[in-house]
Amino acid sequence: MSLNTYGHLFRVTTWGESHGPALGATVDGCPPGVALEEAMLQHWLDRRKPGQNKYTTQRREPDAVRILSGVYEGRTTGTPIQLMIENTDQRSKDYGDIAQKFRPGHADITYHQKYGLRDPRGGGRSSARETAARVAAGGVARAALKMLAPEVRITGYMVQMGRLKADRDRFDMAEVEQNPFWCPDATAAAIWVEHLDELRKSGNSVGAVVEVMASGVPAGLGAPVYGKLDTDLAAAMMSINAVKGVEIGAGMAAAELTGVENADEIFMGNDGRPRFSSNHAGGILGGISTGQDVVVRFAVKPTSSILTPRKTITVAGEEAEIITKGRHDPCVGIRAVPVGEAMMACVILDHLLLDRGQTGGQRGAIG
Amino acid sequence: MSLNTYGHLFRVTTWGESHGPALGATVDGCPPGVALEEAMLQHWLDRRKPGQNKYTTQRREPDAVRILSGVYEGRTTGTPIQLMIENTDQRSKDYGDIAQKFRPGHADITYHQKYGLRDPRGGGRSSARETAARVAAGGVARAALKMLAPEVRITGYMVQMGRLKADRDRFDMAEVEQNPFWCPDATAAAIWVEHLDELRKSGNSVGAVVEVMASGVPAGLGAPVYGKLDTDLAAAMMSINAVKGVEIGAGMAAAELTGVENADEIFMGNDGRPRFSSNHAGGILGGISTGQDVVVRFAVKPTSSILTPRKTITVAGEEAEIITKGRHDPCVGIRAVPVGEAMMACVILDHLLLDRGQTGGQRGAIG
Amino acid sequence: MSLNTYGHLFRVTTWGESHGPALGATVDGCPPGVALEEAMLQHWLDRRKPGQNKYTTQRREPDAVRILSGVYEGRTTGTPIQLMIENTDQRSKDYGDIAQKFRPGHADITYHQKYGLRDPRGGGRSSARETAARVAAGGVARAALKMLAPEVRITGYMVQMGRLKADRDRFDMAEVEQNPFWCPDATAAAIWVEHLDELRKSGNSVGAVVEVMASGVPAGLGAPVYGKLDTDLAAAMMSINAVKGVEIGAGMAAAELTGVENADEIFMGNDGRPRFSSNHAGGILGGISTGQDVVVRFAVKPTSSILTPRKTITVAGEEAEIITKGRHDPCVGIRAVPVGEAMMACVILDHLLLDRGQTGGQRGAIG
Amino acid sequence: MSLNTYGHLFRVTTWGESHGPALGATVDGCPPGVALEEAMLQHWLDRRKPGQNKYTTQRREPDAVRILSGVYEGRTTGTPIQLMIENTDQRSKDYGDIAQKFRPGHADITYHQKYGLRDPRGGGRSSARETAARVAAGGVARAALKMLAPEVRITGYMVQMGRLKADRDRFDMAEVEQNPFWCPDATAAAIWVEHLDELRKSGNSVGAVVEVMASGVPAGLGAPVYGKLDTDLAAAMMSINAVKGVEIGAGMAAAELTGVENADEIFMGNDGRPRFSSNHAGGILGGISTGQDVVVRFAVKPTSSILTPRKTITVAGEEAEIITKGRHDPCVGIRAVPVGEAMMACVILDHLLLDRGQTGGQRGAIG
């Protein structure tokens, strides 16, 4: 993690502002020979694309991604892959208000304090638009995983909106693609629709919890003690705009468990691999994957750009009120789902390469 | 974060195993001219030292730290600082049981799966003993902060043990040093004493939540989008043994807030600096510090080394039961408090240097 | 140095192939507030541009650089700067011969051996076209240096072509811009014209030595022992295509000196700063700048793409002969001059930021 | 390369000063399962050890290396390996003269200018004693190579002392261990003996050129464009104390070649691998190994600590003369031979791991 770069061997640098000519991701260290074309990345970008329903910003961006380098005749060459998405719907509106006032809960004030200047157009670099670049890079990671570890499956979904939690007993993964919230609990999704409509109409917004699960992850990915798989996952998820908490497995609730409860007991599976009675560990022990599902959750705070007036100050230091008009998501958590998936894909691939580098990917056999 | 190294400019590499001859930290990139002597580091190590009361492991280690390099006549020279702590109380007991069986919830199995071999003595590299090296390194960071940003104050404390939460209305920071849990709520601490005694006697263990607060942190530390201050804090805390969740400010509860509630409204303070009505952000917006208190919380799972028998398998793949005798903390969260403080100190200093490198540390004035 | 990324704090990742749609550089970590516009970068790119005289490739590329991010209203914002140069003159010729045969002395064979596939069009990633991206990034570095260390001056020039060396007694820096070789010795340049004409006509090519000098570099840049200023300069120059040797100050000839000869004796200058009797050190002692001119030289091998037939093998493993038709520089050393300057600018700026981060840029006074 | 750390995946951080209690190397990222014990490292350290003949410093250091971590029952565990060498012969002499005056050609003045303070005892961090730590780390790299690429052979030797060059026509590698200069030309070695005796007696010193050759390096190591194998080798060698120039293959002389001469023509070998008519490339094309011998040369300047008086200034800014008494090598190039070998071993191993990470180490077949 080096300012705008993420990853050890599979390294992603995102660049670009909300209202500049373009944004994108520079992907370095991708394995050679991976089948890759723009349509494969577009598939993932379309899931995150704004303006798809009334719960996401009405900005109209095709988010068409172009591969400018690193691919020859449909295969990665092992050299840097440049992914570019042009911005097309930067409305020629007046940004004077945002340029002069700091939105509470927004990066406006800290960018000003750090850099002394900022690009106020649509939030500039701090806009959630930056996450489009991550989704594109995540598409590259998925393509590489398809070649190197085809059994890996990554699925993200919302498990909570505001105080309303989905019920795990009702989870049906087939439902995830059937509602605008990527929620595996259809009943909860129906309730959320009403709740969010109400919030949106009242000029308010709301937070959410997203869970991302990776199954088929081989045992042995990760490393002590700062290169832990969960360390990198925590960093990856916390780096997403508006995220304020990250959990692995039992997460914060692990504090409530006793050692007896927390122990995921181990048995031998019929396939000669260890089998566990439970997964409080979220698939990671000592920073290294166990072969169980890797489970990460993160909380997304409510959009700070709201229609309800809030107290703030101006660049000149005067007290003021601000209302943020414009096209904002009432629940940014929704569009964080594909972003979380992308980060998971990048981290898993990166650790797969890192492990292959150090150990050759040879697993210590049991039995 | 590169396997065992943490930090961008202030870089800490920890090394060593629980039962090897020594462990320590290699600290590179420390500013020159910092007043530093062993006693200053020992102060922090003594807080984390095992065997201080019946709630921590009875292993007797003086944890005496030696500075082997990088300091001349009581001042850092800007060259690498090697901190070494010799292990003295490695009991010559038989580790055969742990060597052959994997403790559920422990790194035993994943180290075996990844590396094909492991040092089973006391958990080897995955032992919480590694955190002594972090505390020593954190002491260096504190000394440097004292010179560069003397207003920074870092305080860690436990806010939850098992299901028992401390009550923020009763918080009195003067109490933190008065009970074995570093708990600012004296009433809660008294209850925890009983709870933990019971658990310990029953051969069980329990999780905890630790909070670390840094006040006096200048605005402007951190950077988009992977070098965010909260990204690095999340990584730092998640890298501590047994941590399963990390929160900044409102944390996971941010999901429950509306945008109206979450907005930390901004006013001008009498000192010409912005003042906020609340701190849901935990002192960080857009990955950059606001000048408010930086607030991080993390959940520590219960020790997996317990006296209650659990099902597991052997290296040979046979099913078995395991009881972990020996000297183990019934609540490792307690000793995680000084570790969390150390990580906070390292991250804050690192970002101070990083910011000074890029921007010269000149803050964009308001007003 | 991480595959395609260079630098510690001022980090440059170049991307793109010779005949892809575009190439460029992702520049991260630039200080905020630097005056920057495309024309400033174009100035440097135009110096390197192909097709300017008969001694450089006849490919016609405008090499027009676009700034896609990181600049707002003519100032850098501290966020990543994406520099893109579109390729326009990729001739639709048949690359079959190069695709099937490996040019001796060229990266064709090693890319094949490493990656199993390669983009053969114009050399793909290994083409010297990649250096256009470095020159663009170097332009950003120069703009930042102008703000932070305006006294720094960087000048590159050729000092040798084949066996013909320029004569330092005839050096006149005003001549550098007056001949196609950036040679400060006008007499040598005139001789080189004839020599190169002859070589070119005979279907041959020739090597060269380039020197890059940075004056006005403050004392104190660099660090022990792998972050030395000369270590990073050596890496930077060696990373340029076709470079086979790098020298600092006396360079390889330092081997011939005695300690008495080599000692750059020190005196106090009238300006209160140390003054040296000579500069065998090339401005660097112990990896740290002395305040003298920083002097680097590097040897560029002759272009391997020549019209004289050479023995080689095919991808199928059959022996063959190869002639490389096309538009190739008879002396690639010429266009390496602005590239070397760009690398010098990047390294100096990077170390300026790095030093400011660690030490605050406060110099130990003498006297 | 990050201040005192070298390498991408096999990362070495050296620490320690000439006259501190100890110095050493923290080695992270070593593959697990490598057979390693102290005696294996001692073998290499003994080659570099001071005081072995009259041409090296008379300081008496056993340079006994201890492995403090990362090895269990004679095998590396994949966790950090701490190598410590205690300093035993720090003479209690008065360093006042060196503490107050800057030796010309030495890091004294730049450490002062950068850090504002320095450890003057024996040169502190800038002492060539630091290279003992590299040799120890190189021993770990050699042990890992023995497991992963047993065909790799690394040999260093001196090819020039002052103006006296060894004659390649007389090279006999069996001679390397037979003379105090590791010179494969016995005739030259005999001449050097006289030359160096004379210099030593006159209180002078002299430079040298060292060549390091690695045979058996698999094709495909390295990467464009900043992760080139030659880029990292240049950095590694230039980071050694007193080195002023680095060459790969033909090196600086590549400038004198024509394209026709420089082309290493390619044929198919009987073993189904490419065979080359010559090796001007030094085993590296486009930054990636060809499978030929990797050949690096570097120039070591003469020791700046000499008995002949030289002009200098004091910390107080007064002009003065300095003579460096004490135990100094008349030709530090001699002891640079094992250091160069160690750096070669580290770089080759690092790139082996890096390549295995990205490509899986599968080579593109020819034929």
Side-chain angles (χ1 to χ4, degrees):
Chain A
M1 269 170 334
S2 179
L3 302 194
N4 294 274
T5 299
Y6 183 79
H8 302 264
L9 289 183
F10 182 78
R11 294 172 72 82
V12 175
T13 308
T14 71
W15 54 272
E17 279 84 32
S18 176
H19 285 55
L23 52 84
T26 309
V27 179
D28 198 9
C30 185
V34 175
L36 190 70
E37 46 191 48
E38 287 166 358
M40 294 163 69
L41 306 181
Q42 200 60 51
H43 170 75
W44 303 111
L45 275 162
D46 288 349
R47 287 164 60 95
R48 182 205 153 278
K49 204 165 65 178
Q52 301 201 104
N53 58 51
K54 61 185 170 185
Y55 309 115
T56 58
T57 170
Q58 294 309 299
R59 178 169 172 170
R60 293 280 162 194
E61 284 289 355
D63 273 359
V65 64
R66 286 186 64 200
I67 299 174
L68 297 184
S69 66
V71 175
Y72 178 65
E73 296 186 342
R75 300 246 160 217
T76 59
T77 60
T79 61
I81 301 166
Q82 184 58 257
L83 306 172
M84 182 174 71
I85 299 162
E86 289 184 73
N87 288 320
T88 60
D89 186 18
Q90 315 100 302
R91 287 197 195 163
S92 58
K93 64 171 253 196
D94 177 17
Y95 279 94
D97 206 40
I98 290 178
Q100 295 309 318
K101 296 176 186 172
F102 304 117
R103 282 167 287 177
H106 199 280
D108 296 340
I109 192 167
T110 52
Y111 272 57
H112 176 82
Q113 287 172 304
K114 183 180 188 78
Y115 300 116
L117 81 169
R118 69 193 159 95
D119 178 348
R121 299 167 303 162
R125 180 73 182 145
S126 70
S127 164
R129 238 190 112 48
E130 180 270 340
T131 60
R134 304 187 190 215
V135 171
V140 177
R142 292 206 199 229
L145 284 170
K146 198 170 173 181
M147 182 174 90
L148 297 177
E151 65 284 6
V152 173
R153 287 284 174 280
I154 294 168
T155 318
Y157 38 89
M158 262 179 70
V159 297
Q160 185 178 338
M161 174 187 286
R163 296 178 183 276
L164 307 172
K165 298 186 185 186
D167 183 343
R168 286 180 186 271
D169 290 339
R170 284 194 303 250
F171 271 21
D172 174 0
M173 288 299 158
E175 290 294 329
V176 168
E177 304 276 342
Q178 305 305 318
N179 61 69
F181 309 113
W182 286 293
C183 178
D185 171 358
T187 309
I191 297 168
W192 294 356
V193 163
E194 286 180 47
H195 184 55
L196 198 55
D197 272 337
E198 208 169 298
L199 278 162
R200 191 169 51 84
K201 284 172 191 159
S202 70
N204 207 343
S205 62
V206 74
V209 177
V210 172
E211 185 167 290
V212 182
M213 189 174 68
S215 61
V217 175
L221 306 194
V225 297
Y226 302 121
K228 284 177 171 165
L229 184 58
D230 37 0
T231 295
D232 280 358
L233 283 170
M237 299 308 170
M238 193 64 93
S239 78
I240 301 172
N241 306 45
V243 171
K244 301 303 287 185
V246 179
E247 303 187 313
I248 307 290
M252 296 305 293
E256 302 187 2
L257 299 175
T258 65
V260 171
E261 293 161 345
N262 184 61
D264 301 320
E265 293 184 303
I266 317 176
F267 303 89
M268 278 305 284
N270 294 329
D271 58 354
R273 287 195 287 189
R275 190 169 53 78
F276 298 82
S277 64
S278 50
N279 190 10
H280 293 101
I284 303 173
L285 287 173
I288 299 172
S289 61
T290 62
Q292 290 181 277
D293 291 346
V294 173
V295 182
V296 182
R297 264 182 318 284
F298 55 91
V300 184
K301 71 178 184 185
T303 324
S304 51
S305 301
I306 50 176
L307 283 165
T308 309
R310 299 280 84 193
K311 306 261 188 209
T312 190
I313 57 174
T314 66
V315 174
E318 283 160 5
E319 303 205 335
E321 277 207 341
I322 190 163
I323 292 176
T324 313
K325 290 175 191 158
R327 304 162 295 177
H328 297 284
D329 297 40
C331 178
V332 275
I334 301 172
R335 291 205 290 139
V337 171
V339 181
E341 290 179 342
M343 297 311 287
M344 175 70 91
C346 290
V347 172
I348 298 291
L349 174 64
D350 187 35
H351 274 277
L352 199 83
L353 301 183
L354 202 53
D355 177 60
R356 185 162 76 164
Q358 189 187 8
T359 75
Q362 292 147 358
R363 299 279 87 81
I366 295 174
Chain B
M1 270 173 330
S2 179
L3 303 194
N4 295 273
T5 299
Y6 182 78
H8 303 264
L9 289 184
F10 182 78
R11 294 171 72 83
V12 176
T13 308
T14 71
W15 55 271
E17 278 84 34
S18 176
H19 285 54
L23 52 83
T26 310
V27 178
D28 198 8
C30 185
V34 175
L36 189 72
E37 46 191 48
E38 286 166 359
M40 294 164 67
L41 305 181
Q42 200 61 50
H43 171 75
W44 303 111
L45 275 161
D46 287 349
R47 287 163 59 94
R48 182 206 153 279
K49 204 166 65 178
Q52 303 201 102
N53 59 50
K54 63 186 171 185
Y55 308 115
T56 59
T57 170
Q58 293 309 299
R59 178 168 173 170
R60 292 279 162 195
E61 284 289 357
D63 273 359
V65 64
R66 287 186 63 201
I67 298 174
L68 296 183
S69 65
V71 175
Y72 179 65
E73 296 186 343
R75 300 245 159 217
T76 59
T77 60
T79 61
I81 301 166
Q82 183 57 257
L83 307 172
M84 182 174 71
I85 299 162
E86 289 184 73
N87 288 320
T88 60
D89 185 19
Q90 316 99 301
R91 288 198 194 161
S92 58
K93 63 171 256 198
D94 177 17
Y95 280 94
D97 206 39
I98 290 177
Q100 295 308 317
K101 295 176 186 172
F102 305 116
R103 282 166 287 177
H106 199 280
D108 296 340
I109 192 167
T110 52
Y111 271 57
H112 175 82
Q113 287 172 304
K114 182 179 189 79
Y115 300 116
L117 81 169
R118 69 192 160 96
D119 178 348
R121 301 167 303 162
R125 180 72 182 145
S126 70
S127 165
R129 240 190 110 49
E130 179 270 339
T131 60
R134 303 186 190 215
V135 172
V140 177
R142 291 205 200 229
L145 283 171
K146 199 171 174 181
M147 183 174 89
L148 296 178
E151 65 285 5
V152 172
R153 288 283 174 282
I154 294 168
T155 317
Y157 38 89
M158 262 179 70
V159 297
Q160 185 178 339
M161 175 187 286
R163 296 179 183 276
L164 306 172
K165 299 187 184 183
D167 183 343
R168 287 181 186 269
D169 291 338
R170 286 194 300 252
F171 271 22
D172 174 0
M173 288 300 157
E175 290 293 330
V176 168
E177 304 277 340
Q178 305 305 319
N179 61 69
F181 309 113
W182 286 293
C183 179
D185 171 358
T187 309
I191 298 168
W192 294 355
V193 163
E194 288 179 46
H195 183 55
L196 197 55
D197 271 337
E198 208 170 298
L199 277 162
R200 192 170 50 85
K201 285 171 191 160
S202 70
N204 208 342
S205 62
V206 73
V209 176
V210 172
E211 185 168 290
V212 183
M213 188 174 68
S215 61
V217 176
L221 305 194
V225 297
Y226 302 120
K228 285 177 171 165
L229 183 59
D230 37 359
T231 295
D232 280 358
L233 283 170
M237 300 308 169
M238 193 63 93
S239 78
I240 301 172
N241 306 44
V243 171
K244 301 303 286 184
V246 179
E247 301 186 314
I248 308 290
M252 296 305 292
E256 302 187 1
L257 299 174
T258 65
V260 171
E261 293 161 344
N262 184 62
D264 302 319
E265 292 184 303
I266 317 176
F267 303 88
M268 278 306 284
N270 294 330
D271 59 354
R273 288 195 288 189
R275 191 170 53 78
F276 297 83
S277 64
S278 51
N279 189 10
H280 292 102
I284 303 173
L285 287 174
I288 299 171
S289 61
T290 62
Q292 292 181 276
D293 291 346
V294 173
V295 182
V296 182
R297 264 183 316 285
F298 55 90
V300 184
K301 71 178 184 184
T303 324
S304 51
S305 301
I306 51 176
L307 283 165
T308 309
R310 299 280 83 194
K311 306 261 190 207
T312 190
I313 58 175
T314 66
V315 173
E318 282 160 6
E319 302 204 336
E321 275 206 343
I322 189 162
I323 292 177
T324 313
K325 289 174 192 159
R327 306 163 293 178
H328 297 285
D329 296 38
C331 178
V332 275
I334 301 171
R335 292 205 290 139
V337 172
V339 181
E341 290 179 342
M343 297 311 286
M344 175 70 90
C346 290
V347 172
I348 298 290
L349 174 63
D350 187 35
H351 274 278
L352 200 82
L353 301 183
L354 202 52
D355 177 61
R356 185 161 76 163
Q358 190 186 8
T359 75
Q362 293 147 356
R363 297 279 88 79
I366 294 174
Chain C
M1 269 171 333
S2 178
L3 302 194
N4 294 274
T5 300
Y6 183 79
H8 302 263
L9 290 183
F10 182 79
R11 294 171 71 84
V12 176
T13 308
T14 70
W15 54 272
E17 279 82 35
S18 175
H19 285 55
L23 52 83
T26 310
V27 179
D28 198 7
C30 184
V34 175
L36 190 71
E37 45 192 50
E38 287 166 359
M40 295 164 66
L41 305 180
Q42 199 61 52
H43 170 74
W44 304 112
L45 275 161
D46 288 348
R47 288 163 59 94
R48 182 205 153 279
K49 205 166 64 178
Q52 302 200 103
N53 58 50
K54 62 186 170 183
Y55 309 115
T56 59
T57 169
Q58 294 310 298
R59 179 169 171 168
R60 294 278 162 195
E61 284 289 355
D63 273 0
V65 64
R66 286 185 63 200
I67 299 174
L68 296 183
S69 66
V71 175
Y72 179 65
E73 296 185 343
R75 301 245 159 218
T76 59
T77 60
T79 60
I81 301 166
Q82 183 57 257
L83 306 172
M84 182 174 72
I85 298 162
E86 289 184 74
N87 288 320
T88 60
D89 185 19
Q90 316 100 303
R91 287 200 195 160
S92 58
K93 64 172 254 197
D94 177 18
Y95 279 92
D97 206 40
I98 290 177
Q100 295 309 316
K101 295 176 186 171
F102 304 117
R103 281 167 289 177
H106 199 281
D108 296 340
I109 191 167
T110 52
Y111 271 57
H112 175 82
Q113 285 172 306
K114 183 179 188 77
Y115 299 116
L117 81 168
R118 68 190 160 97
D119 178 349
R121 301 167 303 162
R125 180 71 182 145
S126 70
S127 165
R129 238 190 112 47
E130 180 269 340
T131 59
R134 304 187 190 214
V135 171
V140 177
R142 292 203 198 230
L145 283 171
K146 198 171 174 181
M147 182 174 90
L148 296 177
E151 65 284 6
V152 173
R153 289 283 174 281
I154 294 167
T155 318
Y157 39 89
M158 263 179 72
V159 297
Q160 185 178 338
M161 175 187 286
R163 295 177 184 277
L164 306 172
K165 298 187 184 184
D167 182 344
R168 285 181 188 269
D169 291 339
R170 284 194 302 251
F171 271 22
D172 173 359
M173 287 301 157
E175 290 293 328
V176 168
E177 304 276 341
Q178 305 305 319
N179 60 69
F181 309 114
W182 285 295
C183 178
D185 171 358
T187 309
I191 298 168
W192 295 355
V193 163
E194 286 178 47
H195 184 55
L196 198 55
D197 272 337
E198 208 170 300
L199 278 161
R200 192 170 50 84
K201 284 173 191 158
S202 71
N204 207 343
S205 63
V206 73
V209 176
V210 172
E211 185 167 289
V212 182
M213 188 175 68
S215 60
V217 175
L221 306 194
V225 296
Y226 302 121
K228 285 177 172 166
L229 183 59
D230 37 359
T231 295
D232 281 357
L233 283 170
M237 299 308 169
M238 193 62 95
S239 78
I240 301 173
N241 306 45
V243 171
K244 301 303 286 183
V246 179
E247 302 186 313
I248 307 290
M252 296 306 292
E256 303 187 2
L257 299 175
T258 66
V260 171
E261 292 162 345
N262 184 61
D264 301 320
E265 292 184 303
I266 317 177
F267 302 89
M268 277 306 284
N270 294 330
D271 59 354
R273 288 195 287 190
R275 190 170 54 78
F276 297 83
S277 63
S278 51
N279 190 11
H280 293 100
I284 304 173
L285 287 173
I288 299 173
S289 61
T290 62
Q292 291 181 276
D293 291 346
V294 173
V295 182
V296 182
R297 264 183 317 285
F298 54 90
V300 184
K301 71 179 184 184
T303 324
S304 51
S305 301
I306 50 176
L307 283 165
T308 309
R310 299 279 82 194
K311 306 260 189 209
T312 190
I313 57 175
T314 67
V315 174
E318 285 159 3
E319 302 203 336
E321 276 205 342
I322 190 162
I323 292 177
T324 314
K325 291 174 190 159
R327 304 163 295 176
H328 297 285
D329 297 39
C331 178
V332 275
I334 302 172
R335 292 205 290 138
V337 172
V339 181
E341 290 179 341
M343 298 310 287
M344 175 70 90
C346 290
V347 172
I348 298 290
L349 175 64
D350 187 35
H351 273 278
L352 198 83
L353 302 183
L354 202 53
D355 177 61
R356 186 162 76 164
Q358 190 186 8
T359 75
Q362 291 146 358
R363 298 279 87 80
I366 295 175
Chain D
M1 270 170 334
S2 178
L3 302 195
N4 295 273
T5 300
Y6 183 79
H8 303 264
L9 290 183
F10 182 79
R11 294 171 72 82
V12 175
T13 307
T14 71
W15 54 272
E17 279 83 34
S18 176
H19 285 55
L23 53 83
T26 310
V27 179
D28 198 8
C30 185
V34 175
L36 190 71
E37 46 191 49
E38 286 165 359
M40 294 164 68
L41 305 181
Q42 199 61 51
H43 170 74
W44 304 111
L45 275 161
D46 288 348
R47 288 164 59 95
R48 181 206 154 279
K49 204 165 64 177
Q52 302 202 104
N53 58 51
K54 61 185 170 184
Y55 310 115
T56 59
T57 169
Q58 293 310 299
R59 180 169 171 168
R60 293 279 162 194
E61 284 290 355
D63 274 358
V65 64
R66 288 186 63 201
I67 298 174
L68 296 183
S69 65
V71 175
Y72 179 65
E73 297 185 342
R75 300 246 159 217
T76 59
T77 59
T79 61
I81 301 166
Q82 184 58 256
L83 307 172
M84 183 174 71
I85 299 162
E86 289 184 74
N87 288 321
T88 60
D89 185 18
Q90 316 100 302
R91 287 198 195 162
S92 59
K93 63 171 254 195
D94 177 15
Y95 280 94
D97 205 41
I98 290 178
Q100 296 308 317
K101 295 176 187 172
F102 305 116
R103 282 167 288 177
H106 199 280
D108 296 340
I109 192 167
T110 51
Y111 272 57
H112 175 82
Q113 287 173 304
K114 183 180 188 76
Y115 299 117
L117 81 169
R118 68 193 161 96
D119 179 349
R121 301 167 302 161
R125 180 71 183 146
S126 70
S127 165
R129 237 189 114 48
E130 180 270 341
T131 59
R134 304 187 190 215
V135 172
V140 177
R142 291 206 200 229
L145 283 170
K146 198 171 174 181
M147 182 174 90
L148 297 177
E151 64 284 5
V152 173
R153 287 283 174 281
I154 294 168
T155 318
Y157 39 88
M158 261 179 70
V159 297
Q160 184 178 339
M161 174 187 287
R163 296 179 183 275
L164 306 172
K165 298 187 183 184
D167 182 343
R168 286 180 187 269
D169 290 339
R170 286 195 300 253
F171 271 21
D172 173 0
M173 287 301 156
E175 290 294 329
V176 168
E177 304 277 341
Q178 305 305 317
N179 60 69
F181 309 113
W182 285 294
C183 178
D185 171 359
T187 309
I191 298 168
W192 294 356
V193 164
E194 288 179 47
H195 184 55
L196 198 55
D197 272 336
E198 207 170 299
L199 278 162
R200 191 170 50 85
K201 284 171 192 160
S202 70
N204 207 344
S205 62
V206 72
V209 176
V210 172
E211 185 167 289
V212 182
M213 188 174 68
S215 61
V217 176
L221 305 194
V225 295
Y226 302 120
K228 285 177 171 167
L229 183 58
D230 37 359
T231 295
D232 280 358
L233 283 170
M237 300 309 170
M238 193 63 92
S239 78
I240 301 172
N241 306 44
V243 171
K244 301 304 286 184
V246 179
E247 303 187 312
I248 307 290
M252 295 306 292
E256 302 187 2
L257 300 174
T258 66
V260 170
E261 292 161 346
N262 184 61
D264 301 320
E265 293 184 304
I266 317 176
F267 302 88
M268 277 306 284
N270 294 330
D271 59 355
R273 288 196 286 191
R275 189 169 54 77
F276 297 82
S277 63
S278 51
N279 190 11
H280 293 100
I284 304 173
L285 287 173
I288 299 172
S289 62
T290 61
Q292 290 180 278
D293 291 345
V294 173
V295 182
V296 182
R297 263 183 318 284
F298 55 90
V300 184
K301 71 178 183 185
T303 324
S304 51
S305 302
I306 50 176
L307 283 165
T308 308
R310 300 279 83 194
K311 306 261 189 208
T312 189
I313 58 175
T314 67
V315 174
E318 284 158 5
E319 303 205 335
E321 276 207 340
I322 190 163
I323 291 176
T324 313
K325 290 173 191 160
R327 305 163 295 176
H328 296 285
D329 297 39
C331 179
V332 275
I334 302 172
R335 291 205 291 138
V337 171
V339 181
E341 289 179 343
M343 297 311 287
M344 175 70 90
C346 290
V347 172
I348 298 290
L349 175 63
D350 187 36
H351 274 277
L352 199 82
L353 302 182
L354 201 54
D355 177 60
R356 186 161 77 164
Q358 189 187 7
T359 74
Q362 292 147 357
R363 298 279 87 81
I366 295 175

